[in-house]
Amino acid sequence: MSPVHLTNGHTHSDTLQTESPPMETSPCSQQSFKPLLKKLVETPEYFTSSDLRTALVHVFTPGLLSPEHIGAFLTALHIHRVERRPESLAAAASILRERALKANVIDGDKDFVVDMVGTGGDGYNLFNVSTTAAIVAAGAGARVVKHGSRASTSSSGSADLLQALGVVFTPPSPPQSPGVPPTATPIPAIPFSFILAPHYHPALSYLAPYRKNLPFRTMFNVLGPLINPASPRGMVLGVAEPELGRPFAESLREGGVERALVVCGYERLDEISCAGPTHAWELRDGKITEQALTPQLFGLEPHPLVKVVGGDPAQNAETFRQVLNSGKDVPQECKPVMDFILMNASALLVVAGLAENYKDGVKIARDSIFEGKAWQAFETFKQSSAN
C-alpha cells in the first residue's frame, strides 16, 4: 500500500460543538492559565466546557505550563468531578480529536463503521473479549475499525494480543520537512482494521508523564473510546463505573455517533458480563434508554468471571486461535470464553444493524466462528498489516 498523508483536522463530530470557538488563535501563557485554574479550584460549579477547552489548549502547548500547574489542573478536575460531566467529556474529546492525526479510512463515508472498546480499569484481567468479539462481528459483515492500545491495567491489551498473533504496527513516517504532517498507510476497506492510539494521539503522549505521577485515574484514562480517529458511526463502549454510563452515552451523541450501546457489568466490568446482569444505555435515533442485559437475553447460560480470566498476550493468543480457528470443534474448556465473545459480538452486530435482536446476533456471530469467517477477517487484517 502506498503511503498517504494524515492531517490534523476536525472530524464530522466536531461540528456538533456549540461552545464558543476554540481559543487556539489567542496567545497562551502561564498568566492567562492561572485565572482558569483559580476558577476551577474555587468555583468549579461555574467552570464551563468552554473554560475546559481553553484550559486544555494551554495544557497541550508544549513547555508552556509547569508540572505543578498541570498536576493541580488534573487534580482539581478529578476532585470536583468536573471530568465526569458529559459536556466536559465531549469538550475534551473534541480537543483531542482536533490534535489527532486524521485517519484516512477508505470507503469510510460509504460504510457504517463501528468500534467496540472499553475504558479499562475494571481490574478483572479478563480475556481480550472486545478485540475478539469485534473480529467475529467483522467476519459476520460489520465494518470494524477498532481503536486501542497496549495494556495499562491488565496483562494483555488489544494491541498486545494482536502483536502476539503476528500483527505488525507501522508508525506514521516522520515529517520530511517542517509543517508537513506525518504519513502512514491508509486504513483499507477490509472487514477489520485497528488503529493504535499512540500513533494518532501525540497530545496524549505529551500528557502521559504527568498522569503517571498522579495516584488516581484522570479523565484522560477513559477518553480513549471517544476519540477514535476513524469517527465510527456505531459503537459498543464499556465503562468500569456505572456512574459513567449515561455521561458517556451523552458524549457519544454529542460527538456524532448515530447508534451505540454503553455497557457496564454489575460487577463494575467494562464489558457485557457473562456472569450476570449488565447495565446498558442504548443510543438510537438521538434518544438514550437504560436497560439491563442478561446472558439469558442472548439465549446463553451464565458463566462465572473466573472462567474467562485472561493471561499474558501469548496465552490469550492461543485461546483466540482455539476459539476462532477450530471450526465447530471449539474445545469444551473454551465454551465460557466463546459465550463471552458471542454476547459481546452480538451487541456489536445489533448496533451495526446486522442483527434484529441479541439472540439473532448470537446466531450470526456463532456462524462467523464456525464457518471460519471470523478467522478469515483476522487473516485479511494480518496480511494487510504486513504490507
Side-chain angles (χ1 to χ4, degrees), residues 355-375:
E356 294 182 5
N357 53 57
Y358 296 121
K359 288 183 179 178
D360 183 41
V362 166
K363 179 182 181 303
I364 295 170
R366 186 180 282 114
D367 288 345
S368 176
I369 295 173
F370 285 176
E371 295 174 12
K373 294 182 289 187
W375 183 257

Side-chain angles (χ1 to χ4, degrees), residues 12 16 61 109 126 157 202-203 206 220 228 241 250 285 292 310 366:
H12 71 276
L16 297 181
T61 301
D109 55 338
L126 303 183
Y206 168 73
F220 298 99
N228 185 335
E241 305 170 54
E250 292 175 3
D285 299 325
R366 186 180 282 114

Side-chain angles (χ1 to χ4, degrees), residues 221-309:
N221 288 89
V222 300
L223 276 176
L226 299 177
I227 56 174
N228 185 335
S231 300
R233 297 167 64 186
M235 288 190 70
V236 174
L237 194 164
V239 295
E241 305 170 54
E243 298 83 5
L244 289 175
R246 180 164 285 275
F248 264 75
E250 292 175 3
S251 297
L252 289 176
R253 179 172 60 189
E254 290 189 40
V257 173
E258 297 172 31
R259 292 199 298 267
L261 193 68
V262 179
V263 298
C264 179
Y266 276 28
E267 313 91 343
R268 302 177 80 84
L269 176 71
D270 72 332
E271 317 279 3
I272 298 175
S273 177
C274 62
T278 295
H279 301 284
W281 296 263
E282 183 181 36
L283 169 63
R284 187 179 291 269
D285 299 325
K287 298 179 181 178
I288 298 170
T289 55
E290 188 171 352
Q291 56 188 300
L293 306 178
T294 63
Q296 291 78 10
L297 192 63
F298 292 81
L300 297 169
E301 61 183 84
H303 302 281
L305 293 184
V306 69
K307 295 290 187 181
V308 293
V309 169

Side-chain angles (χ1 to χ4, degrees), residues 11-302:
T11 64
H12 71 276
S13 54
D14 293 327
T15 61
L16 297 181
Q17 284 292 327
T18 57
E19 300 291 346
S20 15
M23 301 290 289
E24 283 87 337
T25 55
S26 301
C28 295
S29 67
Q30 288 194 14
Q31 292 306 312
S32 60
F33 178 74
K34 286 180 180 178
L36 291 164
L37 182 57
K38 178 180 174 68
K39 184 178 183 180
L40 173 61
V41 170
E42 297 182 354
T43 55
E45 65 273 22
Y46 297 117
F47 192 83
T48 68
S49 54
S50 180
D51 292 328
L52 178 60
R53 283 186 60 91
T54 306
L56 288 175
V57 171
H58 287 72
V59 168
F60 288 129
T61 301
L64 179 68
L65 302 180
S66 68
E68 292 81 6
H69 279 139
I70 295 175
F73 174 69
L74 294 175
T75 300
L77 284 176
H78 181 76
I79 289 175
H80 295 307
R81 302 182 71 81
V82 173
E83 64 186 18
R84 298 301 183 89
R85 299 173 188 168
E87 63 272 19
S88 294
L89 291 167
S94 176
I95 283 284
L96 288 170
R97 285 195 299 267
E98 289 167 11
R99 281 155 177 72
L101 299 178
K102 186 170 173 58
N104 177 12
V105 183
I106 296 176
D107 291 339
D109 55 338
K110 300 175 184 177
D111 296 332
F112 192 87
V113 174
V114 297
D115 185 14
M116 182 171 214
V117 64
T119 59
D122 60 26
Y124 285 100
N125 195 34
L126 303 183
F127 173 75
N128 299 100
V129 66
S130 291
T131 307
T132 311
I135 292 171
V136 170
R143 175 80 191 275
V144 182
V145 180
K146 180 166 171 54
H147 184 230
S149 193
R150 296 181 175 87
S152 60
T153 58
S154 65
S155 300
S156 176
S158 52
D160 300 313
L161 170 69
L162 294 172
Q163 283 188 309
L165 288 163
V167 172
V168 178
F169 294 114
T170 305
S173 302
Q176 299 301 308
S177 59
V180 176
T183 60
T185 54
I187 296 173
I190 57 177
F192 178 83
S193 302
F194 187 89
I195 288 177
L196 184 61
H199 288 174
Y200 285 78
H201 296 289
L204 280 180
S205 298
Y206 168 73
L207 200 59
Y210 304 99
R211 291 163 50 202
K212 287 181 179 179
N213 286 331
L214 297 173
F216 53 83
R217 286 166 60 85
T218 72
M219 71 186 306
F220 298 99
N221 288 89
V222 300
L223 276 176
L226 299 177
I227 56 174
N228 185 335
S231 300
R233 297 167 64 186
M235 288 190 70
V236 174
L237 194 164
V239 295
E241 305 170 54
E243 298 83 5
L244 289 175
R246 180 164 285 275
F248 264 75
E250 292 175 3
S251 297
L252 289 176
R253 179 172 60 189
E254 290 189 40
V257 173
E258 297 172 31
R259 292 199 298 267
L261 193 68
V262 179
V263 298
C264 179
Y266 276 28
E267 313 91 343
R268 302 177 80 84
L269 176 71
D270 72 332
E271 317 279 3
I272 298 175
S273 177
C274 62
T278 295
H279 301 284
W281 296 263
E282 183 181 36
L283 169 63
R284 187 179 291 269
D285 299 325
K287 298 179 181 178
I288 298 170
T289 55
E290 188 171 352
Q291 56 188 300
L293 306 178
T294 63
Q296 291 78 10
L297 192 63
F298 292 81
L300 297 169
E301 61 183 84

